[in-house]
Amino acid sequence: MFILSSSPLTTTFFTSTTTATTTPKARVSFSFSVRFCTRRQPFPSLFHSFKASATAEMLQDKESSSSSSPAPPPAATTSSGDTSKDSRTFLNATTEQELLAGITKEREAGRLPSSVASGMEELYHNYKNAVFQSGNPRADEIVLSNMAIAFDRMFYDVEDPFVFEPFHEALREPFDYYMFGQNYIRPLVDYRNSYVGNISLFYEMEEKLQQGHNIVLMSNHQTEADPAIIALLLEATNPRIAENMTYVAGDRVLIDPLCKPFSIGRNLICVYSKKHLTDIPELVEMKRKANTRSLKEMALRLRGGSQLIWIAPSGGRDRPYPHTEDWYPAPFDTSSVDNMRRLVEHSGTPGHIYPMALLCHNIMPPPPQVEKEIGEKRVISFHGVGLSVSPGISFSDIATACENPEEQAKDLYTQAVYNVVMEQYNVLKSAIHAKQGLEASTPSVSLSQPWN
């Protein structure tokens, strides 16, 4: 699982565009600044107004966000404090040729592993093709700006790897990794064909969070970009939810060099996925102990209240059915659902579990099969996406109706949550893939486009 703003120096950043296929104008204020690892100051002076604008949005000190003339970003330094000329390899590129030549330069210098360099080149071309699908007249600028910053962050982490704690709080300064992820995925979303189901429930969640309640979203999981997709669809109406959500994240998005920079920008509870727990037999015990630490961290945070946690009980991303190529939410694991439910119920704080459906696999589908190796191919497209949430389901009501609640209730509750997710998913599928739009709404799933 990946499971993803200040005044510009000279021009506005690309998030405000003019074509019909592009995104809404979103400007949100942010509050997080805590981090668990000291990193060197990123970003030297930049090369032209468009990229300078993009970087300034993510670099400006939060305390000076109200100023119309922010101070220029600091020069990049190494961990020892020395200015790093190498960190400017990608940020100084003014053309596609220079950007790709930077990959070759760092690979030949031995500073960039060949496998990572090949992945970066492939990612560039796939991202470029997807952004150009949008028809945005500034697509070339968007691609160059976003990919230069992405390459810089990837290279930066290869040189100075970030280490995630069991709980990781989004790194927002001196470089704003959250906005980096938002701005990178934003051009891939076709907002004309995107929808949110039951938006009123997100307002209900905000009220409960303000009262100190805990909220858990049990969702299917489709792409590494899921956190960014969720946040992009909610940032216009529920920015606090968009920013403050904590994602239960598998270890692969914490170690893949092309994925790590996006993970750094999200609040994460880091775990080892069941699907990869036994990939390396000698590490199984270490992984289990690490998961126990993460579970304790989650329990501690739930006891404090006002937590908003997203979890995919399937243990991984959805895949298409082999024979039909149709995409549907993967079945939920009963033990994962029950463990989360018991954590919420035993926290000593009121808690609520909402079933959530997410449809976004077209943006960045996973490989057809689960892969053990790190470094999957990133296929990227411009497409409509959707999410929907439904009212919570009472475990006690289900248990009361069971003849043998100790044995049956867990399975029945898991299936009930999954069925609601599937129901919402089918509505989103009708709206987006069958082109029914808002008319796909049902009595239980009311679709809207809250950015309009």
Side-chain angles (χ1 to χ4, degrees), residues 213-284:
H213 296 200
N214 293 315
I215 301 293
V216 172
L217 301 172
M218 289 196 177
S219 171
N220 66 311
H221 174 29
Q222 297 215 311
T223 79
E224 292 176 328
D226 284 3
I229 297 297
I230 294 169
L232 286 168
L233 294 180
L234 295 177
E235 66 180 1
T237 54
N238 305 92
R240 291 182 181 178
I241 287 180
E243 291 180 63
N244 296 349
M245 193 176 297
T246 296
Y247 298 86
V248 179
D251 59 297
R252 296 173 72 82
V253 300
L254 311 178
I255 58 178
D256 189 318
L258 270 61
C259 193
K260 278 183 70 177
F262 300 95
S263 301
I264 293 171
R266 305 291 160 179
N267 304 317
L268 304 176
I269 292 174
C270 307
V271 299
Y272 288 93
S273 169
K274 281 187 175 182
K275 291 185 177 181
H276 298 285
L277 196 66
T278 59
D279 285 354
I280 304 176
E282 56 268 29
L283 296 181
V284 171

Side-chain angles (χ1 to χ4, degrees), residues 5-7 59-71 173:
S5 105
S6 60
S7 302
L59 267 171
Q60 184 188 2
D61 186 343
K62 303 301 178 293
E63 293 181 357
S64 62
S65 61
S66 60
S67 172
S68 60
S69 302
E173 57 182 23

Side-chain angles (χ1 to χ4, degrees), residues 188-376:
L188 304 178
V189 176
D190 180 1
Y191 280 84
R192 297 179 309 172
N193 298 306
S194 297
Y195 304 91
V196 175
N198 300 329
I199 189 69
S200 63
L201 289 178
F202 288 103
Y203 294 108
E204 175 184 299
M205 290 180 204
E206 287 192 334
E207 292 179 359
K208 293 183 184 299
L209 289 167
Q210 290 174 359
Q211 295 167 7
H213 296 200
N214 293 315
I215 301 293
V216 172
L217 301 172
M218 289 196 177
S219 171
N220 66 311
H221 174 29
Q222 297 215 311
T223 79
E224 292 176 328
D226 284 3
I229 297 297
I230 294 169
L232 286 168
L233 294 180
L234 295 177
E235 66 180 1
T237 54
N238 305 92
R240 291 182 181 178
I241 287 180
E243 291 180 63
N244 296 349
M245 193 176 297
T246 296
Y247 298 86
V248 179
D251 59 297
R252 296 173 72 82
V253 300
L254 311 178
I255 58 178
D256 189 318
L258 270 61
C259 193
K260 278 183 70 177
F262 300 95
S263 301
I264 293 171
R266 305 291 160 179
N267 304 317
L268 304 176
I269 292 174
C270 307
V271 299
Y272 288 93
S273 169
K274 281 187 175 182
K275 291 185 177 181
H276 298 285
L277 196 66
T278 59
D279 285 354
I280 304 176
E282 56 268 29
L283 296 181
V284 171
E285 187 60 27
M286 180 277 292
K287 292 180 178 181
R288 284 176 175 157
K289 289 181 179 178
N291 281 353
T292 298
R293 290 195 299 270
S294 296
L295 198 65
K296 290 180 179 178
E297 178 65 35
M298 188 188 299
L300 181 64
R301 302 191 70 82
L302 287 170
R303 284 199 292 271
S306 296
Q307 297 299 305
L308 174 60
I309 297 175
W310 180 97
I311 184 172
S314 64
R317 288 170 288 179
D318 303 335
R319 255 79 177 187
Y321 289 176
H323 301 298
T324 65
E325 295 300 315
D326 288 333
W327 289 74
Y328 290 102
F332 287 178
D333 177 71
T334 297
S335 63
S336 295
V337 171
D338 195 60
N339 285 339
M340 193 72 242
R341 178 190 64 79
R342 287 189 290 112
L343 279 172
V344 172
E345 290 184 355
H346 297 163
S347 68
T349 302
H352 313 272
I353 295 175
Y354 292 80
M356 171 187 276
L358 188 61
L359 193 160
C360 60
H361 62 81
N362 301 91
I363 294 281
M364 197 180 294
Q369 285 83 35
V370 176
E371 298 179 351
K372 289 186 178 182
E373 295 77 17
I374 297 295
E376 67 185 56

